[in-house]
Amino acid sequence: MKKMILIAGPCVIESKDLVFKVAEQLKIFNENKNIEFYFKSSFDKANRTSIDSFRGPGIEEGLKILESVKNEFNMKILTDIHESFQASIVSEVADVLQIPAFLCRQTDLLVAAGKTRSKVNIKKGQFLNPSDIKYSVKKILQTRGINEEGYEIAKQNGVFVAERGSSFGYGNLVVDMRSLVIMREFAPVVFDATHSVQMPGAANGKSGGKSEFVEPLARAAAAVGVDGFFFETHINPCEALCDGPNMLDISRLKNCVETLLQIQNIIKDI
């Protein structure tokens, strides 16, 4: 069975203590031979709804914490970048640079990421036609001197994409499972299970979410056939400083991942 990509961790670095507690519980996935695991947390959430929302410790302190996780738990690291200058700095620690959904068409940011040796995960913006993600992928590949395109080419050159649903401007996201098939023509696809249940623009300048739909949607994506999954998780989502309403409680993650591996095994020959 091919390895399943699994990206998991708290949305934003709230403290070194919290990050280490989450990493301790996630190390079971890092040790699973059927999983290609990446620990995820953001040093800065630059696209919060409100200017008063918690953003994280910043790039300098955040990278120190992520490097500590990498060394202590022998985990690969994935984190967001929002500005071009961050790419080379962050790539010294992160194995994967993540392009946030709202920035997935930003050429300068994609080119800067492409110039590093890190892998790149491009989150498809909820405003984007699934087939148009190929142009974002091509920006990375062409920066790396690759003029061919397609799933295998992207995989070989460390580029994958993430689906999180589409927005119609009414405070909800809708996941069209057809998009997973379409996007997989251009690159390996990771299903962002927790952001897919997010409800942007909720009350009081904070996004909401319906976490009860995380696991059903993840199972559906596994049945369609994707390369991996993205879960933001927390010891206590109710107390999370970012994206709590759409997070999957860490106590539920183990059973969820086991189910996804079983589904992947069932469909592997289809």
PDB file of all heavy atoms in Angstrom, residues 223-250:
ATOM      1  N   ALA A 223     -12.696   7.660  -0.266  1.00  0.00           N
ATOM      2  CA  ALA A 223     -13.364   6.755  -1.211  1.00  0.00           C
ATOM      3  C   ALA A 223     -13.214   7.235  -2.650  1.00  0.00           C
ATOM      4  O   ALA A 223     -13.094   6.430  -3.578  1.00  0.00           O
ATOM      5  CB  ALA A 223     -14.841   6.623  -0.853  1.00  0.00           C
ATOM      6  N   VAL A 224     -13.194   8.562  -2.838  1.00  0.00           N
ATOM      7  CA  VAL A 224     -12.960   9.111  -4.181  1.00  0.00           C
ATOM      8  C   VAL A 224     -11.551   8.775  -4.636  1.00  0.00           C
ATOM      9  O   VAL A 224     -11.308   8.427  -5.799  1.00  0.00           O
ATOM     10  CB  VAL A 224     -13.186  10.638  -4.196  1.00  0.00           C
ATOM     11  CG1 VAL A 224     -12.726  11.235  -5.523  1.00  0.00           C
ATOM     12  CG2 VAL A 224     -14.659  10.958  -3.973  1.00  0.00           C
ATOM     13  N   GLY A 225     -10.611   8.886  -3.694  1.00  0.00           N
ATOM     14  CA  GLY A 225      -9.215   8.574  -3.996  1.00  0.00           C
ATOM     15  C   GLY A 225      -8.352   9.821  -3.973  1.00  0.00           C
ATOM     16  O   GLY A 225      -8.254  10.528  -4.973  1.00  0.00           O
ATOM     17  N   VAL A 226      -7.764  10.119  -2.829  1.00  0.00           N
ATOM     18  CA  VAL A 226      -6.831  11.236  -2.708  1.00  0.00           C
ATOM     19  C   VAL A 226      -5.507  10.713  -2.164  1.00  0.00           C
ATOM     20  O   VAL A 226      -5.395   9.548  -1.774  1.00  0.00           O
ATOM     21  CB  VAL A 226      -7.383  12.346  -1.783  1.00  0.00           C
ATOM     22  CG1 VAL A 226      -8.604  13.014  -2.392  1.00  0.00           C
ATOM     23  CG2 VAL A 226      -7.711  11.804  -0.390  1.00  0.00           C
ATOM     24  N   ASP A 227      -4.517  11.582  -2.148  1.00  0.00           N
ATOM     25  CA  ASP A 227      -3.179  11.167  -1.724  1.00  0.00           C
ATOM     26  C   ASP A 227      -2.925  11.410  -0.241  1.00  0.00           C
ATOM     27  O   ASP A 227      -1.979  10.850   0.317  1.00  0.00           O
ATOM     28  CB  ASP A 227      -2.127  11.913  -2.549  1.00  0.00           C
ATOM     29  CG  ASP A 227      -2.258  11.598  -4.025  1.00  0.00           C
ATOM     30  OD1 ASP A 227      -1.627  10.624  -4.474  1.00  0.00           O
ATOM     31  OD2 ASP A 227      -3.005  12.313  -4.729  1.00  0.00           O
ATOM     32  N   GLY A 228      -3.761  12.247   0.351  1.00  0.00           N
ATOM     33  CA  GLY A 228      -3.527  12.526   1.757  1.00  0.00           C
ATOM     34  C   GLY A 228      -4.590  13.407   2.367  1.00  0.00           C
ATOM     35  O   GLY A 228      -5.557  13.804   1.705  1.00  0.00           O
ATOM     36  N   PHE A 229      -4.377  13.747   3.645  1.00  0.00           N
ATOM     37  CA  PHE A 229      -5.360  14.487   4.422  1.00  0.00           C
ATOM     38  C   PHE A 229      -4.678  15.518   5.311  1.00  0.00           C
ATOM     39  O   PHE A 229      -3.569  15.316   5.792  1.00  0.00           O
ATOM     40  CB  PHE A 229      -6.193  13.528   5.289  1.00  0.00           C
ATOM     41  CG  PHE A 229      -6.973  12.547   4.481  1.00  0.00           C
ATOM     42  CD1 PHE A 229      -6.390  11.345   4.085  1.00  0.00           C
ATOM     43  CD2 PHE A 229      -8.265  12.821   4.073  1.00  0.00           C
ATOM     44  CE1 PHE A 229      -7.085  10.437   3.305  1.00  0.00           C
ATOM     45  CE2 PHE A 229      -8.974  11.923   3.291  1.00  0.00           C
ATOM     46  CZ  PHE A 229      -8.383  10.729   2.912  1.00  0.00           C
ATOM     47  N   PHE A 230      -5.392  16.599   5.519  1.00  0.00           N
ATOM     48  CA  PHE A 230      -4.938  17.709   6.350  1.00  0.00           C
ATOM     49  C   PHE A 230      -5.936  17.874   7.486  1.00  0.00           C
ATOM     50  O   PHE A 230      -7.138  18.050   7.251  1.00  0.00           O
ATOM     51  CB  PHE A 230      -4.896  18.970   5.478  1.00  0.00           C
ATOM     52  CG  PHE A 230      -4.453  20.234   6.173  1.00  0.00           C
ATOM     53  CD1 PHE A 230      -3.206  20.795   5.909  1.00  0.00           C
ATOM     54  CD2 PHE A 230      -5.297  20.907   7.052  1.00  0.00           C
ATOM     55  CE1 PHE A 230      -2.817  21.970   6.524  1.00  0.00           C
ATOM     56  CE2 PHE A 230      -4.911  22.084   7.674  1.00  0.00           C
ATOM     57  CZ  PHE A 230      -3.666  22.617   7.411  1.00  0.00           C
ATOM     58  N   PHE A 231      -5.447  17.804   8.719  1.00  0.00           N
ATOM     59  CA  PHE A 231      -6.308  17.984   9.885  1.00  0.00           C
ATOM     60  C   PHE A 231      -5.668  18.986  10.833  1.00  0.00           C
ATOM     61  O   PHE A 231      -4.536  18.774  11.289  1.00  0.00           O
ATOM     62  CB  PHE A 231      -6.484  16.672  10.663  1.00  0.00           C
ATOM     63  CG  PHE A 231      -7.238  15.597   9.951  1.00  0.00           C
ATOM     64  CD1 PHE A 231      -6.546  14.584   9.287  1.00  0.00           C
ATOM     65  CD2 PHE A 231      -8.622  15.575   9.947  1.00  0.00           C
ATOM     66  CE1 PHE A 231      -7.228  13.565   8.636  1.00  0.00           C
ATOM     67  CE2 PHE A 231      -9.314  14.554   9.300  1.00  0.00           C
ATOM     68  CZ  PHE A 231      -8.621  13.549   8.640  1.00  0.00           C
ATOM     69  N   GLU A 232      -6.380  20.047  11.149  1.00  0.00           N
ATOM     70  CA  GLU A 232      -5.953  20.867  12.267  1.00  0.00           C
ATOM     71  C   GLU A 232      -6.561  20.259  13.518  1.00  0.00           C
ATOM     72  O   GLU A 232      -7.758  19.932  13.553  1.00  0.00           O
ATOM     73  CB  GLU A 232      -6.370  22.319  12.064  1.00  0.00           C
ATOM     74  CG  GLU A 232      -5.482  22.988  11.016  1.00  0.00           C
ATOM     75  CD  GLU A 232      -5.713  24.473  10.865  1.00  0.00           C
ATOM     76  OE1 GLU A 232      -6.791  24.943  11.308  1.00  0.00           O
ATOM     77  OE2 GLU A 232      -4.844  25.145  10.301  1.00  0.00           O
ATOM     78  N   THR A 233      -5.727  20.064  14.538  1.00  0.00           N
ATOM     79  CA  THR A 233      -6.173  19.356  15.725  1.00  0.00           C
ATOM     80  C   THR A 233      -5.614  20.031  16.969  1.00  0.00           C
ATOM     81  O   THR A 233      -4.637  20.789  16.898  1.00  0.00           O
ATOM     82  CB  THR A 233      -5.742  17.878  15.655  1.00  0.00           C
ATOM     83  OG1 THR A 233      -6.332  17.144  16.731  1.00  0.00           O
ATOM     84  CG2 THR A 233      -4.230  17.726  15.693  1.00  0.00           C
ATOM     85  N   HIS A 234      -6.218  19.744  18.112  1.00  0.00           N
ATOM     86  CA  HIS A 234      -5.906  20.468  19.330  1.00  0.00           C
ATOM     87  C   HIS A 234      -6.269  19.600  20.531  1.00  0.00           C
ATOM     88  O   HIS A 234      -7.148  18.733  20.428  1.00  0.00           O
ATOM     89  CB  HIS A 234      -6.724  21.773  19.355  1.00  0.00           C
ATOM     90  CG  HIS A 234      -6.223  22.824  20.297  1.00  0.00           C
ATOM     91  ND1 HIS A 234      -6.479  22.795  21.656  1.00  0.00           N
ATOM     92  CD2 HIS A 234      -5.508  23.960  20.071  1.00  0.00           C
ATOM     93  CE1 HIS A 234      -5.944  23.864  22.219  1.00  0.00           C
ATOM     94  NE2 HIS A 234      -5.333  24.592  21.285  1.00  0.00           N
ATOM     95  N   ILE A 235      -5.608  19.817  21.640  1.00  0.00           N
ATOM     96  CA  ILE A 235      -5.943  19.114  22.876  1.00  0.00           C
ATOM     97  C   ILE A 235      -7.363  19.463  23.317  1.00  0.00           C
ATOM     98  O   ILE A 235      -8.136  18.611  23.744  1.00  0.00           O
ATOM     99  CB  ILE A 235      -4.953  19.484  24.006  1.00  0.00           C
ATOM    100  CG1 ILE A 235      -3.511  19.176  23.596  1.00  0.00           C
ATOM    101  CG2 ILE A 235      -5.320  18.770  25.300  1.00  0.00           C
ATOM    102  CD1 ILE A 235      -3.218  17.713  23.375  1.00  0.00           C
ATOM    103  N   ASN A 236      -7.713  20.736  23.172  1.00  0.00           N
ATOM    104  CA  ASN A 236      -9.048  21.211  23.527  1.00  0.00           C
ATOM    105  C   ASN A 236      -9.493  22.267  22.517  1.00  0.00           C
ATOM    106  O   ASN A 236      -9.242  23.461  22.711  1.00  0.00           O
ATOM    107  CB  ASN A 236      -9.062  21.785  24.946  1.00  0.00           C
ATOM    108  CG  ASN A 236     -10.469  22.105  25.426  1.00  0.00           C
ATOM    109  OD1 ASN A 236     -11.428  22.071  24.656  1.00  0.00           O
ATOM    110  ND2 ASN A 236     -10.604  22.421  26.698  1.00  0.00           N
ATOM    111  N   PRO A 237     -10.136  21.852  21.426  1.00  0.00           N
ATOM    112  CA  PRO A 237     -10.531  22.800  20.380  1.00  0.00           C
ATOM    113  C   PRO A 237     -11.353  23.981  20.884  1.00  0.00           C
ATOM    114  O   PRO A 237     -11.278  25.079  20.318  1.00  0.00           O
ATOM    115  CB  PRO A 237     -11.344  21.930  19.414  1.00  0.00           C
ATOM    116  CG  PRO A 237     -10.791  20.564  19.597  1.00  0.00           C
ATOM    117  CD  PRO A 237     -10.483  20.466  21.068  1.00  0.00           C
ATOM    118  N   CYS A 238     -12.140  23.774  21.931  1.00  0.00           N
ATOM    119  CA  CYS A 238     -12.964  24.859  22.471  1.00  0.00           C
ATOM    120  C   CYS A 238     -12.111  26.022  22.982  1.00  0.00           C
ATOM    121  O   CYS A 238     -12.595  27.151  23.079  1.00  0.00           O
ATOM    122  CB  CYS A 238     -13.858  24.347  23.599  1.00  0.00           C
ATOM    123  SG  CYS A 238     -15.128  23.191  23.051  1.00  0.00           S
ATOM    124  N   GLU A 239     -10.854  25.735  23.332  1.00  0.00           N
ATOM    125  CA  GLU A 239      -9.969  26.770  23.846  1.00  0.00           C
ATOM    126  C   GLU A 239      -8.936  27.230  22.815  1.00  0.00           C
ATOM    127  O   GLU A 239      -8.084  28.082  23.124  1.00  0.00           O
ATOM    128  CB  GLU A 239      -9.247  26.258  25.096  1.00  0.00           C
ATOM    129  CG  GLU A 239     -10.189  25.950  26.261  1.00  0.00           C
ATOM    130  CD  GLU A 239      -9.449  25.465  27.492  1.00  0.00           C
ATOM    131  OE1 GLU A 239      -8.206  25.343  27.419  1.00  0.00           O
ATOM    132  OE2 GLU A 239     -10.104  25.193  28.514  1.00  0.00           O
ATOM    133  N   ALA A 240      -8.996  26.691  21.600  1.00  0.00           N
ATOM    134  CA  ALA A 240      -8.019  27.055  20.570  1.00  0.00           C
ATOM    135  C   ALA A 240      -8.132  28.530  20.221  1.00  0.00           C
ATOM    136  O   ALA A 240      -9.235  29.093  20.182  1.00  0.00           O
ATOM    137  CB  ALA A 240      -8.236  26.201  19.322  1.00  0.00           C
ATOM    138  N   LEU A 241      -7.008  29.158  19.948  1.00  0.00           N
ATOM    139  CA  LEU A 241      -6.982  30.585  19.636  1.00  0.00           C
ATOM    140  C   LEU A 241      -7.241  30.868  18.170  1.00  0.00           C
ATOM    141  O   LEU A 241      -7.309  32.027  17.762  1.00  0.00           O
ATOM    142  CB  LEU A 241      -5.631  31.184  20.060  1.00  0.00           C
ATOM    143  CG  LEU A 241      -5.305  31.089  21.551  1.00  0.00           C
ATOM    144  CD1 LEU A 241      -3.947  31.727  21.840  1.00  0.00           C
ATOM    145  CD2 LEU A 241      -6.393  31.747  22.393  1.00  0.00           C
ATOM    146  N   CYS A 242      -7.390  29.813  17.369  1.00  0.00           N
ATOM    147  CA  CYS A 242      -7.679  29.980  15.939  1.00  0.00           C
ATOM    148  C   CYS A 242      -8.325  28.707  15.406  1.00  0.00           C
ATOM    149  O   CYS A 242      -7.846  27.602  15.667  1.00  0.00           O
ATOM    150  CB  CYS A 242      -6.389  30.279  15.174  1.00  0.00           C
ATOM    151  SG  CYS A 242      -6.608  30.525  13.396  1.00  0.00           S
ATOM    152  N   ASP A 243      -9.416  28.836  14.695  1.00  0.00           N
ATOM    153  CA  ASP A 243     -10.080  27.723  13.987  1.00  0.00           C
ATOM    154  C   ASP A 243     -10.616  26.625  14.892  1.00  0.00           C
ATOM    155  O   ASP A 243     -10.827  25.491  14.440  1.00  0.00           O
ATOM    156  CB  ASP A 243      -9.140  27.106  12.939  1.00  0.00           C
ATOM    157  CG  ASP A 243      -9.006  27.975  11.697  1.00  0.00           C
ATOM    158  OD1 ASP A 243      -9.703  29.005  11.629  1.00  0.00           O
ATOM    159  OD2 ASP A 243      -8.227  27.627  10.808  1.00  0.00           O
ATOM    160  N   GLY A 244     -10.869  26.928  16.148  1.00  0.00           N
ATOM    161  CA  GLY A 244     -11.388  25.923  17.075  1.00  0.00           C
ATOM    162  C   GLY A 244     -12.664  25.239  16.610  1.00  0.00           C
ATOM    163  O   GLY A 244     -12.780  24.009  16.695  1.00  0.00           O
ATOM    164  N   PRO A 245     -13.664  25.976  16.091  1.00  0.00           N
ATOM    165  CA  PRO A 245     -14.939  25.363  15.723  1.00  0.00           C
ATOM    166  C   PRO A 245     -14.857  24.314  14.617  1.00  0.00           C
ATOM    167  O   PRO A 245     -15.741  23.469  14.494  1.00  0.00           O
ATOM    168  CB  PRO A 245     -15.793  26.559  15.271  1.00  0.00           C
ATOM    169  CG  PRO A 245     -15.217  27.725  15.985  1.00  0.00           C
ATOM    170  CD  PRO A 245     -13.735  27.455  16.017  1.00  0.00           C
ATOM    171  N   ASN A 246     -13.811  24.372  13.777  1.00  0.00           N
ATOM    172  CA  ASN A 246     -13.719  23.392  12.699  1.00  0.00           C
ATOM    173  C   ASN A 246     -12.606  22.359  12.919  1.00  0.00           C
ATOM    174  O   ASN A 246     -12.384  21.492  12.083  1.00  0.00           O
ATOM    175  CB  ASN A 246     -13.523  24.070  11.334  1.00  0.00           C
ATOM    176  CG  ASN A 246     -12.356  25.014  11.268  1.00  0.00           C
ATOM    177  OD1 ASN A 246     -12.518  26.203  11.511  1.00  0.00           O
ATOM    178  ND2 ASN A 246     -11.175  24.516  10.932  1.00  0.00           N
ATOM    179  N   MET A 247     -11.930  22.422  14.069  1.00  0.00           N
ATOM    180  CA  MET A 247     -10.868  21.454  14.346  1.00  0.00           C
ATOM    181  C   MET A 247     -11.427  20.086  14.728  1.00  0.00           C
ATOM    182  O   MET A 247     -12.544  19.978  15.229  1.00  0.00           O
ATOM    183  CB  MET A 247      -9.992  21.947  15.504  1.00  0.00           C
ATOM    184  CG  MET A 247      -8.965  22.971  15.122  1.00  0.00           C
ATOM    185  SD  MET A 247      -7.832  23.220  16.512  1.00  0.00           S
ATOM    186  CE  MET A 247      -6.831  24.541  15.881  1.00  0.00           C
ATOM    187  N   LEU A 248     -10.604  19.073  14.525  1.00  0.00           N
ATOM    188  CA  LEU A 248     -10.916  17.733  15.004  1.00  0.00           C
ATOM    189  C   LEU A 248     -10.176  17.519  16.317  1.00  0.00           C
ATOM    190  O   LEU A 248      -8.950  17.662  16.381  1.00  0.00           O
ATOM    191  CB  LEU A 248     -10.477  16.678  13.986  1.00  0.00           C
ATOM    192  CG  LEU A 248     -10.864  15.227  14.308  1.00  0.00           C
ATOM    193  CD1 LEU A 248     -12.378  15.054  14.280  1.00  0.00           C
ATOM    194  CD2 LEU A 248     -10.196  14.265  13.342  1.00  0.00           C
ATOM    195  N   ASP A 249     -10.926  17.184  17.357  1.00  0.00           N
ATOM    196  CA  ASP A 249     -10.312  16.914  18.651  1.00  0.00           C
ATOM    197  C   ASP A 249      -9.274  15.798  18.497  1.00  0.00           C
ATOM    198  O   ASP A 249      -9.527  14.784  17.839  1.00  0.00           O
ATOM    199  CB  ASP A 249     -11.380  16.492  19.665  1.00  0.00           C
ATOM    200  CG  ASP A 249     -10.853  16.474  21.089  1.00  0.00           C
ATOM    201  OD1 ASP A 249      -9.922  15.688  21.362  1.00  0.00           O
ATOM    202  OD2 ASP A 249     -11.380  17.222  21.919  1.00  0.00           O
ATOM    203  N   ILE A 250      -8.113  15.994  19.088  1.00  0.00           N
ATOM    204  CA  ILE A 250      -7.013  15.048  18.903  1.00  0.00           C
ATOM    205  C   ILE A 250      -7.376  13.645  19.376  1.00  0.00           C
ATOM    206  O   ILE A 250      -6.849  12.644  18.877  1.00  0.00           O
ATOM    207  CB  ILE A 250      -5.737  15.571  19.598  1.00  0.00           C
ATOM    208  CG1 ILE A 250      -4.498  14.916  18.993  1.00  0.00           C
ATOM    209  CG2 ILE A 250      -5.808  15.389  21.107  1.00  0.00           C
ATOM    210  CD1 ILE A 250      -3.207  15.636  19.331  1.00  0.00           C
TER     211      ILE A 250
END
